[in-house]
Amino acid sequence: MTLPHARYIVLAHEGVWKINLDNKYYGPFPTQAEAVESARGTAQKAADAGYPASVLLMQGTQFETLWTSVGE
């Protein structure tokens, strides 16, 4: 059985930085760097548990992959 891909999306939302996972928001974080650090730590735990995981930065309508366990 294939586990679902956990995508942690870091984005500015309502004037603060948040993490979106499965259409739920987590945070707020005072800086983008702190949101990315939190998302990466959580994504690493998901990857360690066997889930494919990625951290994405959303800028407008574009996504930048900051970290991924896929292909490792």
Side-chain angles (χ1 to χ4, degrees):
M1 179 174 110
T2 303
L3 296 172
H5 193 129
R7 289 181 178 87
Y8 297 84
I9 302 170
V10 176
L11 69 157
H13 182 261
E14 298 177 344
V16 294
W17 289 97
K18 294 187 180 179
I19 299 168
N20 182 296
L21 174 66
D22 296 331
N23 294 318
K24 294 180 185 168
Y25 289 99
Y26 300 90
F29 298 90
T31 66
Q32 175 185 321
E34 289 177 78
V36 168
E37 182 179 334
S38 179
R40 184 172 176 161
T42 305
Q44 182 65 59
K45 289 177 186 174
D48 291 346
Y51 288 86
S54 298
V55 176
L56 307 170
L57 176 63
M58 183 176 182
Q59 297 176 319
T61 59
Q62 301 295 314
F63 293 91
E64 177 186 352
T65 301
L66 303 177
W67 181 88
T68 186
S69 68
V70 179
E72 290 185 31

